[in-house]
Amino acid sequence: MKNEDSLKLNCIVYILVLDVLIKEYNTKQIDENLKQKALEVYKKLEERKAKENSKYHIYQY
C-alpha cells in the first residue's frame, strides 16, 4: 500500500514539474518565485541527505 501511495505522489509531482517546464518553454518566462522555492526545498533535501550520510560515516570508523 505504501509503495502505491508513493508511486501516485511521484507521478503527480512529475506531471506538475513537466507542466511547469512546458509552460516556461512555451512562454520563455521563468517564474522566479517558484524557482526560489524549488531551490530552497532542494537545499533542505541535500542538507538532510548530508546529515544522514554523516551518521553512516561515523559507524564506518
Side-chain angles (χ1 to χ4, degrees):
M1 188 66 157
K2 186 175 180 183
N3 288 337
E4 290 178 18
D5 291 340
S6 64
L7 179 62
K8 287 178 185 177
L9 179 61
N10 284 341
C11 288
I12 291 169
V13 169
Y14 289 137
I15 290 169
L16 291 173
V17 168
L18 287 174
D19 184 49
V20 169
L21 290 174
I22 291 168
K23 284 179 185 175
E24 288 181 356
Y25 180 78
N26 287 335
T27 62
K28 306 291 189 234
Q29 294 177 342
I30 296 174
D31 184 356
E32 291 298 324
N33 291 331
L34 187 59
K35 181 180 174 183
Q36 188 61 36
K37 285 180 185 178
L39 289 172
E40 290 170 6
V41 169
Y42 179 76
K43 182 179 177 182
K44 287 179 184 178
L45 289 173
E46 288 299 311
E47 288 172 354
R48 187 181 307 157
K49 190 185 307 182
K51 190 175 179 180
E52 286 293 320
N53 287 339
S54 68
K55 289 179 186 177
Y56 294 118
H57 288 298
I58 291 172
Y59 294 124
Q60 289 178 353
Y61 294 112

